Amino acid sequence: MESAGTARNGSFEALSEPLWQPEPRRVKVRAPGKINAFFQVGPLRSDGYHAVASTYLAVSRYEEVAATARSGTLPTDITVSVSSASSLTPEQLASIPLDGSNLVVKAALLVADIAEKPCGLHLEITKHVPIAGGMGGGSADAAATLVACDALWHTGLSREELAQLGSELGADVPFALMGGAAVGLGIGDELTAALAPTPLHWVLVPAEFGLSTPVVYGTLDTLREAGGIQADEPVQVEAGVLAALRAGDAQALAPWLHNDLQTAAENLAPSLTAVLAQGTALGALAAIVSGSGPTLAFLAADTAHAQDLAAALGDRGHRAWPVEGPVHGAHIIL
């Protein structure tokens, strides 16, 4: 497998760009959502987890977190809000917890434990990635918060150190920090950066509802048991996926798109099946459920094809977002 930097157990090679600015009182960070171009799931393990072999792509659908210093000390003086600039529906935004259960609060407290003088904090989240949509939106929020708090409090942590902190919050957080393309093994936390120098083009179709990741995995286990299917422990991603990403060849990637969780997601939300078929009929090179769903990803040949496909899906009543990927991971924008 060709790679550009290797990571194991949430640890990455440090990147060269600086992660902090002089004397910031407010820092805004952008972090990407992700899709899974390939996702193979092993049997349920005794520890309650599943081993996976996945190819992650960071795509140009971003979350933003603005961290503003305020008076007080942590952990008590920390507040969270959701920006009116968010593009999700009011009903979806209303479901976001604004207390200590939100990953942004947990991420801030991890950095505060290391910072010499952590101050009170307000975190404003701008949501553009679907909630419980299989795109790692919450993980992107956490990754953005880690970078923002590191800059705000001058902790000077490397990307490797931030990724190690992020791994305590979930397997997708280190990838949101890293961005680009990566192979994920283990429970998704053993990441190896993959070569993907040329962005590929996709159309995302979010659902008006979310799917619980544990429920989707549990449904997969139930369907396998009912069908007498014995899943193998995944050990690697198919070589054809990596070759297509390395070549930036959408036509070559199309037949390799695969997601073991797709059957379970469609079982829980049968309406997804018709949308997948519709997108393919409208000219998508291939279609797949992203992660645990219910966001759908349609592979396009190029930018123009993605825009045309999004318009055609929009004409049929679907929200459709043209995106490209891979893109960079969490980074400061203000």
Side-chain angles (χ1 to χ4, degrees):
M1 180 190 311
E2 293 189 39
S3 64
T6 300
R8 292 292 175 188
N9 298 320
S11 176
F12 296 97
E13 292 180 3
L15 301 186
S16 58
E17 68 267 22
L19 297 180
W20 59 274
Q21 302 167 345
E23 301 300 331
R25 303 305 295 166
R26 182 175 186 267
V27 180
K28 180 181 284 189
V29 177
R30 177 176 292 163
K34 59 83 181 172
I35 60 175
N36 301 87
F38 182 88
F39 203 76
Q40 192 173 44
V41 181
L44 180 65
R45 305 190 316 195
S46 59
D47 62 2
Y49 290 97
H50 299 74
V52 303
S54 176
T55 302
Y56 299 99
L57 289 179
V59 295
S60 56
R61 190 76 187 178
Y62 297 98
E63 299 282 88
E64 293 178 2
V65 175
T68 303
R70 54 188 291 248
S71 61
T73 58
L74 297 184
T76 55
D77 295 303
I78 181 168
T79 56
V80 181
S81 65
V82 178
S83 171
S84 60
S86 300
S87 60
L88 305 187
T89 67
E91 294 77 17
Q92 291 170 324
L93 297 177
S95 70
I96 299 173
L98 303 180
D99 57 16
S101 65
N102 195 305
L103 281 183
V104 298
V105 175
K106 296 179 180 181
L109 293 177
L110 286 176
V111 181
D113 284 342
I114 297 171
E116 290 185 7
K117 296 180 180 179
C119 59
L121 186 68
H122 178 71
L123 298 168
E124 182 184 52
I125 309 169
T126 304
K127 295 288 296 181
H128 298 296
V129 175
I131 299 167
M135 288 189 62
S139 296
D141 294 337
T145 302
L146 290 172
V147 173
C149 289
D150 171 71
L152 194 69
W153 296 327
H154 306 301
T155 52
L157 297 173
S158 67
R159 288 272 173 168
E160 178 180 21
E161 292 166 326
L162 289 173
Q164 289 170 344
L165 289 180
S167 66
E168 298 182 33
L169 302 172
D172 287 345
V173 179
F175 178 70
L177 281 161
M178 174 186 185
V183 170
L185 300 176
I187 60 171
D189 58 339
E190 299 175 9
L191 294 175
T192 303
L195 287 176
T198 304
L200 296 173
H201 299 273
W202 307 78
V203 175
L204 304 180
V205 174
E208 297 298 326
F209 56 88
L211 288 176
S212 163
T213 298
V215 171
V216 175
Y217 273 94
T219 301
L220 175 63
D221 294 332
T222 299
L223 292 173
R224 283 174 168 175
E225 183 177 359
I229 299 171
Q230 297 292 326
D232 295 325
E233 195 84 358
V235 294
Q236 62 184 12
V237 168
E238 292 288 351
V241 177
L242 300 178
L245 290 177
R246 190 166 55 246
D249 189 336
Q251 295 282 355
L253 179 62
W256 290 105
L257 293 189
H258 172 78
N259 182 4
D260 279 352
L261 294 177
Q262 181 162 320
T263 300
E266 291 184 71
N267 180 272
L268 291 165
S271 61
L272 299 179
T273 304
V275 183
L276 286 165
Q278 193 172 60
T280 302
L282 289 170
L285 301 181
I288 195 170
V289 172
S290 178
S292 57
T295 302
L296 306 179
F298 298 91
L299 181 61
D302 51 34
T303 302
H305 184 205
Q307 292 172 341
D308 290 345
L309 179 58
L313 286 164
D315 288 343
R316 285 154 180 78
H318 304 295
R319 285 188 297 162
W321 304 324
V323 298
E324 65 177 25
V327 297
H328 292 298
H331 56 283
I332 294 170
I333 58 173
L334 179 67

